[in-house]
Amino acid sequence: MTQFVPVLLNALTLISILMLVALGLAVIFGLMNIINLAHGEFVTIGAYTLALTQAMGGNYWLALAVAPFVGAALGLTVEWTMVRHLYRRPLAVILATWGLGMVLQQGLQIIFGAAPQRVAGPLSGAVEIFGAPYPAYRLLLIGFAIAIVLACYAGFRWTRFGLDLRAVIQDRDMAAALGIDTGRVYSLAFALGAAIAAVAGVLIAPLTVVIAQMGINYLARSFFVVIVGGVGGIGGVAAGSAVVGGTESLLNYQVPVTVSQALVLVLAIVIVRFRPRGLVPL
Amino acid sequence: MTDQAPALPATKAVSGARAAKWLLVALGVIFLVAYPAWNDAYSVASLRDVLIFGLFALSLDYFWGKTGILSFGHATFFGLGAYGMGVISIKLGLDPANASLLGLLGGILLAMLVALVVGYFLIFGGVRGAYLTIVTLALTLIAQHIAIGWSDVTGGDSGLIGVPPLTVAGFVFFDPVHQYLLVLAVALTILGGLWWICRGRYGRILAAIEDNELKARTLGHNTPLHLLVVFVASAGIAALAGALYVTGTGFVAPDMIGLMLSTEVIMWVAVGGRGTLIGPFIGAFVVWRLQQEISSLDTRLWPLFIGLFFIAMVFLFPNGVLSLVERAKELSRRWRGAA
């Protein structure tokens, strides 16, 4: 029994990370039908927010509070200057956001240097769960991920903005005819997605190497999450994260990391063949 | 071109323009064939690499330009060709007289097989447009991971050195001039072949699929099959370019399969003009020159430049840099008309 607990918790950690990163992506991609290839860099900027805050003497919790504002400001700027002019040209959005991602990556590297950033988590040590010690910070991460996903679900389901968003997703023109300011809904949704990505970046940072190129690893896997899970909102993100993260972390015990990622790609492609709209279609 | 244009009256102006075009093509070919006569080995080897990159860009243009679906992972196929060539010719201990040719064929088959499997599942699964772009992006990332991680076979970060030059029927393509002429012949053959294939009815079927796949399907075309064939053929050409590149440089490295190359090839096609087939070669040449200039200032500036280029492309010249010339002409005409 005790040897299965860390296996399970490791899977849960990866699933939580994927859920956090894919949630912001799903808001933008699944709901607005916009592929934001700079999403990985939004995560990176969250991680750098933590590094910068701690370098200036602040603590982890301050960075966690600041990150959503940094992310939202970045998201709003990107939406205003680039994305809103391209809503009718999906391929153009891919190319433009990819370019933006490269500019952000290289900009961060030129400003901060190529060496990994120093970050520290708020908790050290381990907690004993069913007789097996497990790092406390990872448990915190899992808790935060669940809380954020539930908060998004609630906001999506029960707030005025959530209602407007759902209306715009279902029929943009009809929503506009009913008096919903669709442009405003889109910019807020984009800002929200970027804010969640930045928070994810802060939460992930203590577990990984914080460098300018870190975002790309999360980008590809979270697209799998969205593709496998489907664009059915929060349920799709949860299902996709469970499949992608669960498979990858369980395979990691049997085969090298590269092989397990390749196998997850194969799994994703096979799932797409038989359920092109994902496990939880809209 | 005649069977594509709606029965134009064959005026003297039209046939004159066509003759001028063919003259230009002939002059270009003569220039390229004669190029080694007055250039040193380094320049010839550089132009050889540019032609290979142009061939690689052509393979992407055949898929992206003719079907409208962007593959963000085309370096996967270039790299599979390169690694197939390297691994088969170095690691298997084959007879050196045949090893390189088997490597070339093996690399191409490997890439086409991967394209066939991935393409079958995705294209027949109804995955199109942006989704396909994302999956190919993931494909190239994972290919890069495997190339770096599976070091027993691929040599890991440092790659494989000692790839033998191509040997066909006892003739060794060792001299840069011979390699250059071989690459030129292959590139011209494939360019001419694709142009010839795409010019008639087949090209119009692809155009119809790009325009509206559902309508093309309703008219009785097996559109997933067409797309799959184009995808696999495109992967094969990309792999051919990769394998040829390796026989010239003598080594395989992970940057031949990764995300950066996948990005750069999109840029080559975009610069030269998507869907033009000849454009990718021009694009590869222009960008290669530009990269040398910019990287000589600071190597970190190059990715920054690519990023800015992608953003500028979307807003300023969605149809390629060459369309800027057209637009400038039009503006100047309008300006003169107003004055």
Side-chain angles (χ1 to χ4, degrees):
Chain A
M1 179 65 202
T2 36
Q3 68 263 39
F4 288 115
V5 173
V7 175
L8 201 65
L9 287 172
N10 278 341
L12 263 180
T13 308
L14 184 60
I15 292 170
S16 303
I17 291 173
L18 289 183
M19 246 180 358
L20 281 173
V21 180
L23 190 60
L25 196 74
V27 170
I28 295 167
F29 170 51
L31 311 182
M32 297 156 72
N33 218 3
I34 288 293
I35 291 203
N36 173 25
L37 286 186
H39 191 77
E41 277 61 48
F42 291 179
V43 175
T44 311
I45 281 176
Y48 271 71
T49 307
L50 175 61
L52 197 61
T53 311
Q54 291 188 331
M56 296 195 318
N59 68 9
Y60 178 89
W61 304 108
L62 178 67
L64 195 60
V66 169
F69 296 99
V70 174
L74 180 71
L76 274 183
T77 315
V78 171
E79 206 273 345
W80 275 349
T81 51
M82 280 172 45
V83 177
R84 75 165 32 181
H85 310 288
L86 305 172
Y87 277 126
R88 307 266 175 206
R89 293 165 57 200
L91 197 60
V93 181
I94 293 183
L95 295 171
T97 51
W98 181 250
L100 175 73
M102 290 186 83
V103 170
L104 290 176
Q105 253 181 45
Q106 214 58 24
L108 284 174
Q109 188 163 346
I110 288 172
I111 296 169
F112 292 93
Q117 299 295 307
R118 217 185 288 267
V119 294
L123 299 175
S124 52
V127 176
E128 201 146 297
I129 293 182
F130 297 114
Y134 200 73
Y137 181 72
R138 286 173 171 241
L139 294 175
L140 182 77
L141 175 82
I142 295 170
F144 264 118
I146 293 171
I148 291 171
V149 169
L150 287 180
C152 277
Y153 180 77
F156 196 55
R157 190 82 182 73
W158 287 300
T159 66
R160 178 61 204 255
F161 172 69
L163 185 66
D164 286 356
L165 190 61
R166 277 182 290 147
V168 174
I169 294 159
Q170 284 208 342
D171 190 334
R172 185 195 161 111
D173 294 332
M174 181 56 84
L178 291 171
I180 295 173
D181 185 347
T182 54
R184 190 173 153 273
V185 170
Y186 272 27
S187 0
L188 284 179
F190 202 89
L192 179 70
I196 299 171
V199 171
V202 174
L203 290 169
I204 295 168
L207 293 180
T208 181
V209 187
V210 179
I211 52 170
Q213 289 81 16
M214 66 182 275
I216 193 70
N217 282 318
Y218 299 103
L219 180 76
R221 284 190 290 184
S222 31
F223 272 114
F224 283 151
V225 167
V226 177
I227 289 171
V228 167
V231 293
I234 314 275
V237 172
S241 305
V243 170
V244 173
T247 312
E248 189 181 323
S249 59
L250 292 182
L251 281 173
N252 272 343
Y253 287 92
Q254 311 294 329
V255 293
V257 182
T258 48
V259 181
S260 69
Q261 287 194 353
L263 288 175
V264 170
L265 171 77
V266 171
L267 178 72
I269 288 173
V270 172
I271 289 179
V272 165
R273 172 68 183 86
F274 296 105
R275 292 193 67 101
R277 314 210 43 164
L279 296 172
V280 186
L282 193 64
Chain B
M1 291 299 278
T2 37
D3 47 337
Q4 222 172 31
L8 273 180
T11 59
K12 270 182 189 161
V14 171
S15 61
R18 262 181 61 203
K21 205 174 93 184
W22 282 113
L23 189 68
L24 202 65
V25 170
L27 284 176
V29 171
I30 291 170
F31 172 82
L32 285 172
V33 171
Y35 184 81
W38 74 93
N39 282 284
D40 56 278
Y42 174 75
S43 312
V44 173
S46 298
L47 194 61
R48 173 198 72 202
D49 291 349
V50 171
L51 278 176
I52 291 174
F53 291 144
L55 183 63
F56 175 34
L58 172 68
S59 78
L60 178 66
D61 190 37
Y62 178 46
F63 185 62
W64 180 25
K66 295 293 174 191
T67 70
I69 302 170
L70 172 60
S71 162
F72 222 116
H74 237 55
T76 316
F77 306 119
F78 184 88
L80 280 174
Y83 272 100
M85 178 83 209
V87 171
I88 291 170
S89 62
I90 295 176
K91 296 259 174 174
L92 296 190
L94 297 165
D95 173 17
N98 300 323
S100 66
L101 200 59
L102 288 174
L104 186 81
L105 295 176
I108 295 171
L109 281 178
L110 184 67
M112 289 175 82
L113 190 69
V114 170
L116 184 70
V117 172
V118 171
Y120 168 74
F121 274 95
L122 296 176
I123 292 171
F124 281 84
V127 178
R128 288 293 181 280
Y131 270 81
L132 206 61
T133 304
I134 293 309
V135 177
T136 51
L137 175 76
L139 194 65
T140 201
L141 263 176
I142 286 162
Q144 189 178 10
H145 272 298
I146 292 175
I148 294 172
W150 197 16
S151 50
D152 297 347
V153 173
T154 63
D157 258 322
S158 44
L160 296 171
I161 50 172
V163 180
L166 191 63
T167 308
V168 182
F171 185 82
V172 183
F173 286 89
F174 182 71
D175 186 51
V177 174
H178 293 154
Q179 288 176 353
Y180 166 81
L181 290 175
L182 173 76
V183 168
L184 181 65
V186 169
L188 284 177
T189 309
I190 289 181
L191 176 65
L194 285 184
W195 176 80
W196 189 76
I197 290 173
C198 288
R199 67 200 266 271
R201 183 179 151 76
Y202 178 69
R204 275 192 263 173
I205 293 175
L206 292 187
I209 294 174
E210 177 180 7
D211 195 39
N212 189 332
E213 193 186 336
L214 191 63
K215 273 188 194 167
R217 197 160 193 181
T218 315
L219 290 171
H221 297 297
N222 189 347
T223 58
L225 187 66
H226 278 302
L227 290 176
L228 184 63
V229 168
V230 174
F231 187 59
V232 172
S234 166
I237 297 168
L240 171 65
L244 282 176
Y245 185 68
V246 168
T247 61
T249 56
F251 67 92
V252 198
D255 60 0
M256 293 175 194
I257 203 167
L259 205 50
M260 193 66 182
L261 187 62
S262 284
T263 306
E264 283 178 306
V265 70
I266 292 173
M267 187 156 130
W268 299 333
V269 175
V271 166
R274 181 165 88 80
T276 56
L277 298 184
I278 183 81
F281 287 92
I282 299 167
F285 180 76
V286 171
V287 176
W288 172 75
R289 279 297 312 158
L290 205 63
Q291 179 172 14
Q292 290 201 318
E293 297 295 324
I294 293 175
S295 296
S296 66
L297 299 175
D298 184 342
T299 48
R300 288 179 308 178
L301 291 178
W302 180 239
L304 197 65
F305 175 85
I306 299 180
L308 290 171
F309 174 87
F310 269 64
I311 298 172
M313 172 171 73
V314 163
F315 287 101
L316 300 180
F317 41 88
N319 298 319
V321 172
L322 293 180
S323 70
L324 272 182
V325 180
E326 297 287 313
R327 206 192 280 190
K329 267 190 207 156
E330 194 183 323
L331 280 180
S332 82
R333 211 171 13 221
R334 225 184 286 169
W335 185 75
R336 259 184 284 148

